[in-house]
Amino acid sequence: MKIFYKTMLCLFLGLALSGCQKWLSVTPNDQFAAEDLFVRKEGFFKALNGIYTGMTSSKSYGQELSAGAIDVLARTYHISSSLHDYHTISTYQYTDAENRTIFEGIWKKNFELIANCNVLLDRIPQAPSAVLPEPYYSIVKGEALALRAFLHFDILRLFGPLWEQDAMDSPSLPYVSVSGNQVQPLISGEDYRQAVIEDLGASVTLLSDDPIRSQGVRHSDSPSGDSFLYYRQYRMNYFAVKALLCRAHLWAGEKSKTFELVEEFLKETQQTNQAIFPFTSGSAAVHTTLPDRLFSTEVIFSLFVNSRSDVYNALFSSSLAREKRLSFDMTGTSFDRVAALYDDQNDYRRRIWQIRTDNNLPALVNAKYEPIADAPGAHMIPLIRMSEMLLMAAETSASLEQGVAYLNQVRRNRNCIDLKPDSQDALFRAIVDEFRKETIAEGQLFFFYKRNRLESIPRADRLTGSAAMLLPNYVVPLPESETSIRIN
């Protein structure tokens, strides 16, 4: 991957000053020259916040790596019309020109942000100082390392190989941990994963005093006016790093290690009297005017997206032509697929599916990101949530009884009756269904299928049944911008 150092500081400034939300601003009217950016702590804050803001790009987690292309790859939606922008992606035509542009954009944006992480890490002093004192030193450095790992890991999950011995030992992707414009070598999938784990391990140590551990997410402004250490759900906080470590270990099938880490995570976050990420209450989930459709209190890490309504309007709105909308039913208003997936009619998650009418044409709409001013999580795009951790525990538990207990913990908090799978296979099928319901429009289902090498996944064009999935479809080819620089 070729990194262009000269553009990085300018990019930092443009991104860091683009958000209007208070928690991402330090001094909104303060303009730093590039050479002055890192001479005070506020410059480091702006550089770090610029990375978060960059992640909200539609090329990255602002659309394609959340509700857009990545969710379509999992066959979440019924796309039968060739007029749909994602039609060829839904059939894994990776060589199609428009699809190449989408995946090129994902690759370039994530590595651009990785480059920003590296420049920031290069400029952070070797130890706390008057320029960047504690607690800011450890938080800034810890978050930057974790973001570098997070961005790399999703490159691995999308463009990397299926996890098997030959593939994990073969050079496949570049892990960029230095700034500069040199081309980084391709390394094996296993070395790449270990680099992710190494960055996360260093980050966990640095974030050991993250205020989220003792004071929770602090979803409010600081009384002192300095809110950099607040709104921790929108930062790569200590628990988000621990959750990402679980993902990285499970990616290679390390179930016992994953279960150990997940149990440790759950023990600290689910303390009876002060849960860090408490389950969303039923009253909040079904509120008539301000429903919490994202179960926002349970989100471990997310992005604050000022323009999240753009995602809804571009992908789901009833104002879109039917052949352009992402829905369970492209042609009408049938709830049949909804009823087939949500086995319990009282399931709070069913409520994201609504009938909306635009231009006198009723439509079945995914309203998860429908803009509702002042609703909980109104600007949130979740990237890691508690239910994923519980389903990881269910999947990696050594005993069937324990796995079922974790599965039903998720279901009970969605107002569903308990299930009683009588075998590990039945438990896994139930986990798949719960994962589907939990992560619609959040970009995780395709990675779940890929990690488990599923050769049969639920159909998108019929109520029930499965469709064959070819294993090569799980590996998106490296973009031309990357392969072209490696031609001898």
Side-chain angles (χ1 to χ4, degrees):
M1 184 65 204
K2 206 166 188 176
I3 306 300
F4 298 94
Y5 176 84
K6 294 180 180 178
T7 65
M8 289 302 102
L9 295 182
C10 294
L11 181 60
F12 271 145
L13 289 171
L15 291 174
L17 298 175
S18 64
C20 67
Q21 61 270 30
K22 186 182 295 185
W23 72 275
L24 275 181
S25 295
V26 178
T27 311
N29 296 320
D30 197 3
Q31 299 289 332
F32 287 97
E35 62 271 17
D36 296 331
L37 183 62
F38 297 113
V39 298
R40 59 182 114 171
K41 70 178 187 295
E42 289 80 6
F44 289 94
F45 297 170
K46 284 187 178 289
L48 182 60
N49 291 342
I51 299 168
Y52 287 107
T53 306
M55 292 171 70
T56 69
S57 164
S58 62
K59 294 179 180 179
S60 191
Y61 301 94
Q63 178 168 314
E64 301 301 6
L65 283 176
S66 56
I70 190 67
D71 226 31
V72 170
L73 287 177
R75 291 182 183 160
T76 301
Y77 307 104
H78 179 201
I79 300 177
S80 60
S81 173
S82 61
L83 298 177
H84 199 288
D85 293 341
Y86 288 134
H87 181 260
T88 53
I89 282 184
S90 72
T91 53
Y92 311 103
Q93 297 179 44
Y94 294 131
T95 58
D96 177 83
E98 291 185 2
N99 297 341
R100 289 202 307 268
T101 298
I102 287 174
F103 293 113
E104 180 88 44
I106 292 171
W107 179 277
K108 285 185 174 180
K109 175 54 69 173
N110 271 32
F111 274 110
E112 177 184 279
L113 296 169
I114 288 167
N116 289 359
C117 291
N118 287 330
V119 172
L120 175 56
L121 287 165
D122 280 353
R123 300 303 294 267
I124 292 175
Q126 292 297 309
S129 64
V131 173
L132 190 62
E134 291 289 12
Y136 304 109
Y137 173 87
S138 292
I139 295 291
V140 170
K141 188 172 182 178
E143 288 187 25
L145 281 168
L147 286 170
R148 182 170 76 181
F150 182 91
L151 293 160
H152 272 111
F153 187 56
D154 277 356
I155 291 291
L156 174 65
R157 294 201 292 176
L158 186 59
F159 297 95
L162 289 162
W163 213 256
E164 53 191 1
Q165 192 61 50
D166 290 345
M168 60 191 284
D169 291 339
S170 299
S172 56
L173 294 168
Y175 199 93
V176 183
S177 55
V178 295
S179 57
N181 61 0
Q182 64 272 30
V183 176
Q184 296 299 309
L186 300 180
I187 61 175
S188 72
E190 175 57 15
D191 287 344
Y192 191 103
R193 187 181 70 97
Q194 289 300 329
V196 168
I197 290 172
E198 183 177 341
D199 272 351
L200 293 176
S203 175
V204 164
T205 300
L206 286 161
L207 294 174
S208 60
D209 291 327
D210 187 336
I212 196 172
R213 300 185 74 184
S214 57
Q215 300 177 56
V217 301
R218 300 207 288 188
H219 192 60
S220 62
D221 291 334
S222 167
S224 70
D226 178 3
S227 294
F228 182 75
L229 300 180
Y230 284 65
Y231 298 96
R232 298 304 292 164
Q233 282 178 296
Y234 295 102
R235 317 289 299 200
M236 184 56 78
N237 61 71
Y238 173 85
F239 293 113
V241 179
K242 299 279 278 189
L244 190 55
L245 270 168
C246 295
R247 279 184 181 174
H249 283 286
L250 191 53
W251 190 252
E254 298 173 350
K255 289 192 173 184
S256 60
K257 178 63 174 179
T258 302
F259 185 74
E260 174 189 333
L261 292 174
V262 172
E263 280 222 309
E264 178 184 292
F265 175 95
L266 294 175
K267 182 177 181 180
E268 185 169 1
T269 58
Q270 290 192 319
Q271 298 175 54
T272 304
N273 297 323
Q274 55 178 72
I276 305 295
F277 307 102
F279 288 106
T280 300
S281 67
S283 59
V286 303
H287 197 283
T288 54
T289 57
L290 300 175
D292 190 351
R293 292 180 180 148
L294 274 69
F295 309 111
S296 62
T297 59
E298 306 170 27
V299 174
I300 301 166
F301 173 52
S302 63
L303 294 177
F304 188 105
V305 183
N306 267 331
S307 56
R308 200 189 70 181
S309 59
D310 291 349
V311 177
Y312 177 78
N313 292 330
L315 302 179
F316 305 112
S317 173
S318 58
S319 65
L320 295 167
R322 284 177 175 173
E323 63 270 14
K324 294 287 189 178
R325 187 186 311 120
L326 291 178
S327 179
F328 270 12
D329 179 26
M330 176 176 279
T331 59
T333 60
S334 172
F335 266 87
D336 289 347
R337 268 198 81 207
V338 176
L341 175 59
Y342 300 87
D343 57 277
D344 192 316
Q345 292 188 357
N346 298 311
D347 192 332
Y348 297 145
R349 294 167 296 190
R350 282 177 61 118
R351 300 173 70 88
I352 67 169
W353 296 103
Q354 302 279 329
I355 298 296
R356 294 283 184 268
T357 300
D358 223 294
N359 299 321
N360 296 318
L361 291 174
L364 177 66
V365 166
N366 176 357
K368 193 170 198 174
Y369 293 139
E370 182 180 32
I372 303 176
D374 299 323
H379 296 283
M380 176 183 281
I381 289 185
L383 297 179
I384 310 175
R385 59 170 58 252
M386 279 295 294
S387 56
E388 179 186 352
M389 304 304 293
L390 290 166
L391 293 174
M392 273 194 208
E395 185 181 349
T396 58
S397 292
S399 76
L400 176 62
E401 181 181 9
Q402 191 175 40
V404 172
Y406 280 119
L407 170 77
N408 284 325
Q409 189 175 347
V410 174
R411 287 181 59 86
R412 261 181 243 122
N413 284 284
R414 298 298 180 252
N415 202 33
C416 300
I417 61 171
D418 284 1
L419 296 180
K420 299 177 181 179
D422 58 3
S423 68
Q424 289 291 348
D425 285 345
L427 172 60
F428 181 74
R429 289 194 298 272
I431 290 170
V432 172
D433 285 343
E434 294 306 310
F435 202 89
R436 290 172 65 200
K437 287 176 272 191
E438 284 293 308
T439 62
I440 286 175
E442 296 180 16
Q444 299 303 319
L445 186 57
F446 179 73
F447 297 143
F448 178 91
Y449 290 161
K450 180 174 180 175
R451 173 174 61 76
N452 284 289
R453 302 171 59 89
L454 296 190
E455 296 184 70
S456 177
I457 64 176
R459 296 188 72 113
D461 58 341
R462 296 184 185 176
L463 292 182
T464 58
S466 300
M469 179 67 167
L470 300 177
L471 292 179
N473 289 340
Y474 286 122
V475 182
V476 177
L478 297 188
E480 186 177 354
S481 64
E482 181 63 25
T483 57
S484 63
I485 64 174
R486 298 185 184 279
I487 297 175
N488 293 327

